[in-house]
Amino acid sequence: MTDTLPTILLIEDEPQIRRFLRAALPGQGYQLQEATTGKDGLLQVTVHLPDLIILDLGLPDMDGLEVTKRLREWTQIPIIVLSARGREDDKIAALDAGADDYLTKPFGMGELLARLRVALRHANRVGGEADDAGFRVGDLYVDLARRQVWVGESEVHLTPHEYKLLITLIQHAGKVVTHRQLLREVWGPGYNEESHYLRVYMGQLRHKLEPDSTRPRYLLTEPGVGYRLAIE
């Protein structure tokens, strides 16, 4: 990230969306660059290295999933998918390919701006706080060096699987992590379809960490897709 305004590259072939974001984003403190094809978008990323990419899946020359996979071969620049494809399978495929977030058209500007802030904060956290021995959001604090978890002034004792699930979410804090990815990283590659494990352990974590487990503040659900650990 630079000291100037964050630069966003919009890879989108729909003129209405480009006009809308061209009018809205500069007034919110962002510089906007545009590409209308996947090929041009890939080229602009290599030349300009934007701070964040907003990517449509239905590009005229290649699928946005392919663009995502090519980018993830060499860069971790945050990618927010903005697509008319609203099925859970499409969201999961994009996130598994390496996208940081997924927003379905039509979308609200307020929600997009919130997703931009989260993605940029996550990029800053990964890039600038990699040596930090702790993670904090609200009253939740995890001492990564001592493997201790605190809520306010109280230490919370987690089981090994609960702690591993929390740590996996911390490693991807601010990002949506799919059910499949969580199962693979916490329990192993043979557990890809055991989604009930996640429901049980997420319920236990929320009971221990959330002020109100029925209205989560930290451990957020992305329905049908996965979970996200809040960073703001």
Side-chain angles (χ1 to χ4, degrees):
M1 301 288 292
T2 66
D3 293 332
T4 60
L5 297 178
T7 299
I8 295 175
L9 172 62
L10 173 64
I11 308 177
E12 166 69 72
D13 67 322
E14 191 174 335
Q16 296 92 330
I17 298 293
R18 295 203 311 276
R19 282 197 299 269
F20 176 60
L21 294 183
R22 192 185 303 143
L25 290 179
Q28 298 296 326
Y30 300 102
Q31 301 181 75
L32 184 65
Q33 298 171 341
E34 299 178 33
T36 57
T37 66
K39 183 178 179 181
D40 185 32
L42 290 169
L43 177 62
Q44 288 205 40
V45 173
T46 61
V47 173
H48 299 294
L49 288 178
D51 296 294
L52 184 142
I53 299 163
I54 298 176
L55 174 66
D56 183 25
L57 293 184
L59 298 169
D61 58 338
M62 67 174 69
D63 194 277
L65 291 178
E66 179 62 24
V67 175
T68 302
K69 291 174 183 176
R70 292 194 191 182
L71 289 171
R72 285 294 174 255
E73 291 175 356
W74 65 276
T75 182
Q76 291 302 311
I77 293 172
I79 300 171
I80 296 180
V81 167
L82 192 60
S83 176
R85 303 178 194 173
R87 298 191 317 160
E88 290 177 2
D89 288 350
D90 294 317
K91 297 179 182 180
I92 292 169
L95 294 165
D96 281 343
D100 293 73
D101 209 341
Y102 194 111
L103 199 56
T104 303
K105 300 174 183 177
F107 59 93
M109 195 61 205
E111 183 176 8
L112 176 61
L113 291 171
R115 304 287 181 110
L116 292 176
R117 291 193 299 270
V118 168
L120 289 169
R121 285 191 61 192
H122 175 262
N124 277 331
R125 182 182 299 276
V126 171
E129 302 177 16
D131 296 328
D132 193 358
F135 173 87
R136 183 184 299 277
V137 57
D139 288 333
L140 174 63
Y141 178 72
V142 182
D143 187 326
L144 301 172
R146 296 181 176 86
R147 297 174 65 89
Q148 293 176 321
V149 180
W150 299 79
V151 176
E153 300 298 320
S154 302
E155 184 176 1
V156 179
H157 297 282
L158 303 182
T159 69
H161 275 106
E162 288 170 351
Y163 184 77
K164 192 171 183 181
L165 178 56
L166 179 60
I167 290 302
T168 301
L169 289 167
I170 287 173
Q171 290 169 345
H172 303 279
K175 295 179 57 175
V176 181
V177 189
T178 65
H179 297 136
R180 187 179 298 112
Q181 184 177 356
L182 284 169
L183 288 165
R184 185 171 59 246
E185 293 193 25
V186 177
W187 283 275
Y191 291 82
N192 285 346
E193 305 303 323
E194 307 294 337
S195 57
H196 61 284
Y197 281 35
L198 281 178
R199 287 194 298 271
V200 170
Y201 279 88
M202 189 61 66
Q204 293 172 185
L205 270 181
R206 284 173 169 161
H207 182 73
K208 293 181 178 182
L209 304 181
E210 297 281 2
D212 181 355
S213 61
T214 63
R215 301 177 64 183
R217 158 74 175 85
Y218 311 121
L219 303 166
L220 308 179
T221 298
E222 296 288 338
V225 178
Y227 297 95
R228 180 205 308 265
L229 180 61
I231 59 173
E232 62 176 21

